[in-house]
Amino acid sequence: MTEEAKANMNYRLSGRELSELKAYGEVRWHAAGARLVEVGDRGVDCLVVLSGQLNIYAEEHGDLRRVGWLEPTQFSGDVSMITGQPSLVLARMEADGEVLHVPPDKMKRLLVENSHLSDVFVTTFIARRAWARANGRASVVLIGEALNQQAFAIRALLTRHGVPHLWVDAATDPQAEIILGRLGLSADDPPVLVTGTRSFLIKPTPLDVAHALGLDLLPDNACADVVVVGAGPGGLAAAVYAASEGLSVVALDADAPGGQASASSKIENYLGFPSGVSGADLADRARIQAQKFGARIATPATVKELTKTEGDYSLTLADGRHLRARAVVIATGADYQRLAIPDLERYEGSGVYYGATAMEAQLCRDARVAVVGAGNSAGQGAVYLSGVAREVNILYRRPDIRETMSEYLVRRLEETPNIILRPETEVTALNGDERRLRSLDIRTKAGPPEILDADFLFLFIGARPCTTWLDQTLACDAGGFLKTGGDIAPMELVRAGWSLDRMPAQYETSWPRVYAIGDVRSGSVKRVAASVGEGSTVVHHIHRALAETSAPTSVAVRNA
């Protein structure tokens, strides 16, 4: 850890900062031994030590271990203060003293009202969460086998939400048996998610995990000025700008914040990051930024239907919940295309993957890997995997990969000794056993069929727009991408029932106050920066459109 990161984690408030902060809280005296926060508590106060000492404990294999302490002028908390997720630690007074309690609602107000203190708290919270992830300090323990599909899905959810967790491989780590024994469980029970000393979930679904960890606390019949469907870069940008400008915002995603960008190991051409930034880090920071301004983010939450209701819009979720919105931003992006070969789903999560992040790279150490695709995502994934894999084979149908991939990436592929380019090649079959993938049947245009030994297959072969859930009167192009603004023909507006005197604004669909941004929009530039730009720009049009309507009668839901 760098000296700067250590300083951020252990920040000490100045006298002036303490004076400003006291306006948001209440000073209380606590005796030694008092437990001010328990592991798993939600909605906890931010604790500022004025005198005495506050010890911080984390659970490790069912036992409490001190991981730090707070002295006068230091404060408690990490990202869960902003996101509303359960506390990862226990806080107990070591010595008598006074503590300033800042409740969650006052902390939310402070983060918006006081720019300086906002920077202090957010920087410290992010540094502490990063430390917890890097050092495996967490109250959440996941026990399962690395190539088990259900275990992989849970790990992916925890990772993409930035939830620090300890992974215990049930097949190789002797600690798995010990932990399961303490909980009264057997070797047949994993995957098991341990969320407290005696709290656990057996074979949970991602939705079960989301509810248990507070990743989705959205109540039924909530109402907001803006509902953003899809929390990729564009959706998160819309949430950030709308919330920062005073609109109540709910953002939903069927998977986790970040969209396809979160699967990019390194984005090197994003403005302001000369050394590149991982898609996961970019998404994590954007999520925290949106929640800092009061946006409510719920994932995984799948929207099944969008309907017009009394001048507003109603969204129905897959679990039966309903939301009302004055405006809707559709940022659902596009879904990964899959190879039309047998047994593909059988190996998804146990050899077949759609993104190359640190979690997948851990599995590929010293292995032979195949990457299918000829776009920048495929190139970035191959370069990243080449750092851990013994051999990376890139398979693509085109004769020249330069037709679809940036030149700087092609040169990097050619200069990396353990990357093999295989043009005019396609996968025809997957071979493996009950547990994992072992090899691929491949076919080249000029040569005979052959078998490629590969334990892992990564697919970057494009995507289809996620628009099948929408009403058919919303205008789309031939590929199913949503039309917006001047691209919508007059007859398409008539068919959709457009009744306003004005024409659709930029990014507005054939339904008033329903917008499309990012990859789901017809004619969009498939770049992270372009999606972020559209997400920020659309808020200007939302403000103008909302001025034409009256406010909803329901109370808008903000982040709790």
Side-chain angles (χ1 to χ4, degrees), residues 304-315:
K304 286 295 186 183
E305 188 178 23
L306 172 66
T307 56
K308 300 176 182 178
T309 56
E310 301 176 0
D312 293 326
Y313 289 98
S314 175
L315 297 95

Side-chain angles (χ1 to χ4, degrees), residues 445-459:
K445 186 175 181 180
E450 59 180 293
I451 296 176
L452 176 64
D453 290 332
D455 295 318
F456 301 94
L457 172 64
F458 291 83
L459 301 178

Side-chain angles (χ1 to χ4, degrees), residues 202-248:
I202 299 174
K203 294 181 173 60
T205 66
L207 194 59
D208 294 332
V209 174
H211 288 311
L213 298 182
L215 306 180
D216 177 3
L217 300 176
L218 191 66
D220 190 16
N221 294 317
C223 179
D225 292 323
V226 183
V227 171
V228 181
V229 186
L236 289 172
V240 167
Y241 280 89
S244 68
E245 294 179 16
L247 297 174
S248 59

Side-chain angles (χ1 to χ4, degrees), residues 473-489:
T473 62
L474 276 159
C476 294
D477 65 15
F481 294 87
L482 285 165
K483 288 186 175 183
T484 58
D487 290 338
I488 305 172

Side-chain angles (χ1 to χ4, degrees), residues 220-477:
D220 190 16
N221 294 317
C223 179
D225 292 323
V226 183
V227 171
V228 181
V229 186
L236 289 172
V240 167
Y241 280 89
S244 68
E245 294 179 16
L247 297 174
S248 59
V249 180
V250 171
L252 311 169
D253 197 282
D255 187 7
Q260 288 196 52
S262 65
S264 294
S265 54
K266 196 173 187 181
I267 302 170
E268 295 193 74
N269 56 358
Y270 190 74
L271 185 67
F273 292 88
S275 299
V277 60
S278 76
D281 283 344
L282 188 65
D284 196 40
R285 289 174 178 271
R287 173 180 59 88
I288 294 170
Q289 191 175 19
Q291 291 174 310
K292 164 190 164 181
F293 286 117
R296 191 73 176 267
I297 298 178
T299 64
T302 301
V303 181
K304 286 295 186 183
E305 188 178 23
L306 172 66
T307 56
K308 300 176 182 178
T309 56
E310 301 176 0
D312 293 326
Y313 289 98
S314 175
L315 297 95
T316 303
L317 305 190
D319 60 9
R321 284 179 294 175
H322 293 83
L323 306 178
R324 279 187 61 202
R326 300 175 67 198
V328 177
V329 177
I330 300 171
T332 46
D335 198 9
Y336 300 112
Q337 288 195 32
R338 288 164 165 78
L339 290 175
I341 53 177
D343 293 332
L344 182 69
E345 291 186 4
R346 171 185 172 188
Y347 292 111
E348 289 178 334
S350 59
V352 174
Y353 306 96
Y354 297 91
T357 67
M359 188 174 67
E360 289 87 4
Q362 287 178 350
L363 305 174
C364 298
R365 189 166 301 280
D366 297 324
R368 297 186 74 185
V369 172
V371 173
V372 177
N376 280 3
S377 295
Q380 290 162 351
V383 170
Y384 180 64
L385 293 169
S386 69
V388 293
R390 181 168 76 250
E391 179 181 291
V392 179
N393 295 267
I394 304 181
L395 287 57
Y396 50 97
R397 293 182 177 181
R398 296 175 181 272
D400 186 358
I401 200 170
R402 283 181 166 82
E403 295 177 21
T404 52
M405 188 178 293
S406 297
E407 180 64 26
Y408 81 93
L409 265 178
V410 177
R411 290 199 302 268
R412 189 166 299 175
L413 297 179
E414 293 173 339
E415 293 166 0
T416 305
N418 63 333
I419 292 181
I420 300 172
L421 297 176
R422 295 177 175 267
E424 300 183 294
T425 303
E426 60 182 322
V427 178
T428 58
L430 306 179
N431 309 307
D433 52 36
E434 293 181 355
R435 296 188 58 189
R436 62 180 302 168
L437 183 69
R438 296 296 182 184
S439 66
L440 315 173
D441 288 354
I442 62 174
R443 179 175 58 209
T444 61
K445 186 175 181 180
E450 59 180 293
I451 296 176
L452 176 64
D453 290 332
D455 295 318
F456 301 94
L457 172 64
F458 291 83
L459 301 178
F460 299 91
I461 55 176
R464 299 186 183 92
C466 298
T467 54
T468 55
W469 59 281
L470 291 168
D471 190 286
Q472 292 185 356
T473 62
L474 276 159
C476 294
D477 65 15

